[in-house]
Amino acid sequence: MGIVLCFIISFLFPRLFYVSKLLLLIYFTVTLLDIFILYRTNNGIVGKRQLPDKLSNGDENEIYLKLENYYTFPVFTTIIDEIPEQFQVRDFSIERKIKPSSIVELKYKLRPTERGEYTFGKLNVYVATSLGLVSRRYHFDKEAMVPTYPAFLQLKKYDLLAIGNNLTMYGIKKIRRIGHTMEFEQIKEYVIGDDLRTINWKATAKQRQLMVNQYQDEKSQPIYSVIDKGRMMKMPFNELSLLDYAINATLVMSNVVLKKQDKAGMFTFSKKVDNMVIAERRSSQMNLILEALYNVKTDFFESDYGRLYANIKQTIKHRSLLLLYTNFETVEALNRQLPYLKGIAKSHLLVVIFFKNTELDQLIHTDVTNIQEAYDKVIAEKFSFEKRLIVNELKKYGIHSILTTPENLTIDAINKYLEMKSRGLV
């Protein structure tokens, strides 16, 4: 622009015309020199993208980039990775200065919100010298597809805590331990603090000292996660649908169940029952559940609870713990399905898990400034009250329930399971 301005001014001052031509010549000379410096090496920069085998839905997944600079001078790079179209990110770029003959490792994070196949395009690296007149573009890596599975990254987060019933370390919910289960483990010497009701009098007479029976949590109980794929599970929260929250919670719950030596299984339902994995304790059970959850597909039709009741009665013969992930917005919606839930609860231990509407909570706690906002707040409080009525309605018929927010679904479901284990209900 400066050279162009000089040419324009040279119309008024002819002597400046020769200076303008000299500046233009210098500009082209330096540009050609910049091009020569960048292109004299065939492979001045080598880049590589390192992708995981699969992405975890709803979690931050790290993508690693590695750049090797074979130039003998520092270069300025702009990295543009062609990330999958599902993310709808059109301004992705990373700028970095790389020292001569050095290696740089970078990483960035992606948070997928849908299960399925994600295709990465090329890795583009634009290289410039300190002159900055020319950029050379390098292409690396061809298209690569990475599947997005349910949130498997959360498994490690809960593993150790669930083994020792220490999920209360998160400070989210306390577990009240009542009594003990009746699966005998061993006879041991009495120590202060042992339950006097567990004294074994025959062993005490033989050993001539107090001996007590020690019990452990019952094992090998069938635990099924039942996921509603109906239209009520399409509601989005924080970019994930309620269905995906339920799928992620099912994966983590199944892992905890297997760690507690119980049998984990799952199935989904809408117009019909799908994706069924029979509750077992085999070593390949987690892989079977993971693949089944990955393949969950739905059109969000109205759910058929009658079909669910008939399928459970036909296929699940032993008394099991059923964790039903669904959603009810009104008592009327619950009453339509209540006969089927009562029928299931007669043969199995049923826990109905449904969701608070966090957007309603925001309305309830917002200060009112006009009549319209007052109407909105009253209606929000009515719907919130309906959720609590649903809990009481289920309790009347001996059906357990969890009313939780989507983000706390996993921790609340696991705590409910551990609570039932400690109370000997499972």
Side-chain angles (χ1 to χ4, degrees):
M1 291 299 294
I3 295 171
V4 171
L5 185 61
C6 286
F7 274 106
I8 294 172
I9 297 174
S10 66
F11 281 100
L12 301 176
F13 304 96
R15 292 182 180 180
L16 192 59
F17 180 69
Y18 300 100
V19 176
S20 302
K21 289 197 294 184
L22 179 60
L23 291 174
L24 183 61
L25 179 62
I26 294 173
Y27 172 75
F28 279 117
T29 303
V30 174
T31 302
L32 291 173
L33 178 62
D34 202 12
I35 294 173
F36 173 75
I37 293 173
L38 283 175
Y39 283 86
R40 66 176 179 174
T41 305
N42 290 332
N43 296 311
I45 289 286
V46 175
K48 185 178 181 181
R49 181 204 300 124
Q50 296 178 355
L51 295 173
D53 293 334
K54 51 183 177 286
L55 301 177
S56 179
N57 191 26
D59 293 325
E60 296 286 350
N61 297 264
E62 294 184 342
I63 310 298
Y64 293 91
L65 304 176
K66 183 178 180 182
L67 298 180
E68 298 184 43
N69 181 15
Y70 290 101
Y71 289 110
T72 56
F73 52 85
V75 295
F76 297 86
T77 60
T78 300
I79 305 160
I80 299 177
D81 197 1
E82 296 176 2
I83 62 179
E85 61 181 7
Q86 288 94 329
F87 294 101
Q88 290 296 299
V89 177
R90 307 181 188 279
D91 58 351
F92 177 88
S93 68
I94 300 174
E95 296 184 355
R96 184 60 59 92
K97 180 181 179 181
I98 305 178
K99 296 179 180 179
S101 303
S102 63
I103 299 175
V104 172
E105 293 183 352
L106 309 170
K107 69 177 180 179
Y108 64 92
K109 296 181 179 180
L110 294 175
R111 180 179 180 267
T113 56
E114 297 177 1
R115 288 167 290 111
E117 297 181 352
Y118 286 63
T119 302
F120 288 79
K122 296 178 181 178
L123 175 63
N124 302 283
V125 180
Y126 293 84
V127 181
T129 66
S130 55
L131 295 175
L133 296 175
V134 178
S135 285
R136 181 178 179 182
R137 182 174 66 177
Y138 289 90
H139 289 305
F140 305 105
D141 294 336
K142 298 180 180 179
E143 288 189 355
M145 190 281 291
V146 181
T148 296
Y149 277 75
F152 59 87
L153 290 180
Q154 297 182 19
L155 296 180
K156 295 180 181 179
K157 177 180 177 182
Y158 297 106
D159 263 359
L160 296 177
L161 297 173
I163 290 174
N165 282 17
N166 291 324
L167 285 168
T168 52
M169 289 172 60
Y170 276 110
I172 295 176
K173 178 181 177 182
K174 294 183 179 179
I175 300 175
R176 185 184 178 194
R177 299 181 64 90
I178 301 175
H180 52 76
T181 57
M182 297 303 294
E183 185 166 313
F184 178 78
E185 183 179 16
Q186 64 177 350
I187 299 174
K188 70 179 189 70
E189 295 181 8
Y190 172 83
V191 295
I192 297 175
D194 284 339
D195 191 346
L196 295 176
R197 293 172 296 180
T198 62
I199 293 176
N200 187 319
W201 294 108
K202 290 184 179 180
T204 297
K206 290 181 180 179
Q207 298 294 328
R208 296 184 180 181
Q209 59 179 341
L210 284 176
M211 305 293 290
V212 294
N213 294 331
Q214 185 173 351
Y215 300 92
Q216 63 180 356
D217 289 340
E218 294 184 18
K219 299 177 181 179
S220 297
Q221 305 300 311
I223 314 295
Y224 281 93
S225 296
V226 185
I227 303 174
D228 183 357
K229 298 190 299 184
R231 62 181 180 84
M232 296 303 295
M233 298 294 282
K234 191 176 183 179
M235 189 180 297
F237 285 94
N238 194 21
E239 299 180 344
L240 281 178
S241 67
L242 294 183
L243 175 62
D244 281 312
Y245 277 109
I247 288 173
N248 292 344
T250 295
L251 181 66
V252 178
M253 172 63 74
S254 300
N255 186 55
V256 171
V257 166
L258 293 173
K259 295 290 184 182
K260 298 293 287 183
Q261 307 299 314
D262 282 330
K263 298 177 181 178
M266 57 82 56
F267 56 92
T268 64
F269 77 100
S270 179
K271 296 180 71 175
K272 61 180 182 178
V273 175
D274 291 315
N275 310 106
M276 189 159 193
V277 178
I278 300 298
E280 296 289 348
R281 274 183 55 194
R282 53 194 167 195
S283 57
S284 61
Q285 191 71 357
M286 277 304 298
N287 287 333
L288 292 174
I289 292 175
L290 182 60
E291 290 297 329
L293 292 173
Y294 173 72
N295 291 312
V296 171
K297 294 179 175 62
T298 181
D299 293 323
F300 294 104
F301 289 117
E302 189 72 26
S303 298
D304 187 347
Y305 279 79
R307 180 68 61 87
L308 172 67
Y309 169 71
N311 185 270
I312 290 175
K313 192 172 183 63
Q314 182 180 2
T315 59
I316 305 179
K317 301 298 183 181
H318 300 285
R319 184 176 182 273
S320 307
L321 171 62
L322 303 180
L323 301 170
L324 174 59
Y325 297 91
T326 185
N327 197 33
F328 296 111
E329 291 295 334
T330 63
V331 176
E332 288 76 13
L334 171 68
N335 288 334
R336 288 196 296 270
Q337 314 301 343
L338 194 55
Y340 303 114
L341 297 179
K342 288 161 60 177
I344 295 171
K346 286 181 181 179
S347 304
H348 303 280
L349 184 59
L350 177 62
V351 179
V352 177
I353 305 171
F354 59 109
F355 299 90
K356 294 178 181 178
N357 193 326
T358 53
E359 294 183 2
L360 290 182
D361 290 341
Q362 295 175 4
L363 279 176
I364 292 172
H365 296 97
T366 300
D367 294 332
V368 175
T369 58
N370 55 54
I371 295 178
Q372 182 61 48
E373 291 180 356
Y375 287 149
D376 293 341
K377 185 171 183 177
V378 170
I379 294 172
E381 289 176 346
K382 176 182 178 297
F383 278 107
S384 180
F385 180 67
E386 290 253 352
K387 293 281 188 178
R388 296 192 294 273
L389 284 180
I390 292 172
V391 173
N392 292 332
E393 190 71 14
L394 291 169
K395 190 175 181 180
K396 284 197 310 185
Y397 299 102
I399 301 174
H400 299 268
S401 63
I402 301 174
L403 177 59
T404 183
T405 58
E407 58 268 21
N408 291 332
L409 170 63
T410 301
I411 193 76
D412 287 343
I414 295 174
N415 271 321
K416 188 68 173 180
Y417 162 70
L418 295 178
E419 178 187 351
M420 289 182 160
K421 288 283 289 184
S422 67
R423 293 173 60 185
L425 298 178
V426 180

